[in-house]
Amino acid sequence: MPITGARPFRFRSLPLPKLTALLTLPSSALPAAPALPSLPALPSLAALHAKAAGRISLALLKSTALEVAIFAGHLALYPSGVIQERRTAPVQPPPDAPRLPRDGRPPVLLLHGFIDNRSVFVLLRRALSQDGGRPVESLNYSPLTCDIRTAAELLGRHVEELCERTGHRRVDIVGHSLGGLIARYYAQRLGGDVRVRTLVTLGTPHAGTRVAPLADAHPIVRQMRPGSAVIEELREPAPDCRTQFVCFWSDLDQIMVPRETACVDHPDLLAQNIQVTGIGHLALPVHPAVANGIRQALDLTNPGADAREKPGGLTVA
């Protein structure tokens, strides 16, 4: 159908003589291109890779040496933590004594990792107790424990007893490795969020770890694998969980495979993930910089919310 009102299209050919003359000009008649400034020589990709690998190797070497030293010291202290900690009721003042305001901060409960005991927290406990006024206790669960759910139930009974003994309605928990996973199961799956205000985890395999496949002979190690029934339960919705999570994870943690498994990634949980640079798995509950970070997190009223406004990390080596 013809379009009315359209102007006819006329094709105009290019004058070939002029184009031919342009193409036959000698190169000397063409204008010279402007000279470009010389660029400085850039390091090759291989050189940059070697430099970065050297820094990583040095940091890994230093962290490994620190891990060996900490492991040797922990072996010496291990017998002192085998026996369960003695519980003492707080001393009640006389009835006529003036009433001082009670420290509003909840007590702190320390929970160790796999095949370990409370002796791993000797330095951390001292650092947390320096503030004064805040009770700090540790709990041993049996090295023969074969189920995270059973250990979480034991933790729940102890938390109830701790609240009754201290007069506080809620507690804070610091868990290293498996201890953090047990505490999370208690808070998220057993209603423990009523009692646990803040849960700090140190190198805890929240999404499961693939390290040491030969250790699968132990049932609790199988529960710490990605895709296990326990890990899948922790992936389920938890819209009413009131516990706030602060998770320290290290870029040189050889027990967490992959490293980011020590982070909490759940849409219903209020969590702060703090990367620690320069130390390994055993150093997390020992290093003074991490202890200071834990103390600061426990002093916050809403550590998860505050963390989303000011995310950050720790460089300790």
Side-chain angles (χ1 to χ4, degrees):
M1 178 178 180
I3 302 176
T4 60
R7 299 180 61 185
F9 176 79
R10 295 180 181 180
F11 178 79
R12 299 184 63 184
S13 61
L14 183 69
L16 294 178
K18 294 183 179 180
L19 177 61
T20 306
L22 180 62
L23 294 175
T24 56
L25 285 175
S27 59
S28 59
L30 296 175
L36 296 176
S38 59
L39 297 175
L42 298 177
S44 65
L45 183 60
L48 292 175
H49 184 271
K51 187 175 181 180
R55 286 198 298 265
I56 294 175
S57 299
L58 180 60
L60 183 60
L61 182 63
K62 291 172 61 178
S63 70
T64 302
L66 181 61
E67 291 283 283
V68 172
I70 292 174
F71 180 72
H74 187 41
L75 283 180
L77 291 174
Y78 191 90
S80 66
V82 172
I83 302 176
Q84 192 72 263
E85 182 177 331
R86 180 181 299 178
R87 313 297 176 191
T88 57
V91 178
Q92 298 297 330
D96 56 346
R99 294 290 181 178
L100 298 177
R102 190 180 65 175
D103 192 333
R105 296 173 299 177
V108 180
L109 182 61
L110 308 176
L111 198 61
H112 61 80
F114 180 58
I115 316 180
D116 208 341
N117 61 38
R118 60 188 177 88
S119 62
V120 72
F121 293 120
V122 168
L123 297 179
L124 178 58
R125 181 169 185 167
R126 183 181 303 169
L128 295 179
S129 300
Q130 286 177 351
D131 291 343
R134 175 163 51 191
V136 181
E137 296 186 0
S138 54
L139 173 65
N140 276 1
Y141 56 88
S142 172
L144 302 178
T145 300
C146 295
D147 184 54
I148 289 177
R149 304 176 187 88
T150 303
E153 293 173 358
L154 169 65
L155 173 62
R157 292 194 295 270
H158 183 79
V159 167
E160 292 294 333
E161 187 269 337
L162 177 60
C163 289
E164 182 179 357
R165 180 159 38 87
T166 60
H168 285 269
R169 297 178 59 251
R170 307 190 81 187
V171 303
D172 291 335
I173 298 179
V174 179
H176 180 227
S177 196
L178 173 61
L181 202 61
I182 293 172
R184 178 182 173 184
Y185 193 93
Y186 164 63
Q188 184 178 335
R189 301 290 301 173
L190 302 181
D193 61 309
V194 177
R195 293 298 190 190
V196 181
R197 184 195 68 145
T198 302
L199 171 57
V200 178
T201 65
L202 310 173
T204 290
H206 290 285
T209 177
R210 298 186 179 92
V211 73
L214 297 180
D216 282 351
H218 199 292
I220 210 165
V221 174
R222 293 197 296 269
Q223 291 184 336
M224 289 190 287
R225 295 299 189 201
S228 72
V230 169
I231 298 298
E232 291 303 312
E233 286 182 48
L234 293 177
R235 292 182 183 274
E236 295 180 6
D240 300 323
C241 185
R242 285 160 285 188
T243 298
Q244 301 190 74
F245 297 83
V246 180
C247 309
F248 290 83
W249 66 284
S250 173
D251 60 341
L252 296 179
D253 191 333
Q254 302 298 313
I255 305 299
M256 298 296 104
V257 180
R259 306 284 195 272
E260 293 77 8
T261 189
C263 300
V264 165
D265 183 13
H266 193 292
D268 296 331
L269 301 181
L270 190 59
Q272 174 189 14
N273 297 306
I274 301 176
Q275 179 180 357
V276 182
T277 302
I279 61 175
H281 189 75
L282 295 179
L284 285 170
V286 175
H287 202 283
V290 180
N292 186 55
I294 295 171
R295 186 167 53 187
Q296 291 179 12
L298 296 180
D299 284 341
L300 296 175
T301 304
N302 299 299
D306 295 341
R308 289 186 179 179
E309 296 178 1
K310 298 180 179 180
L314 288 174
T315 301
V316 299

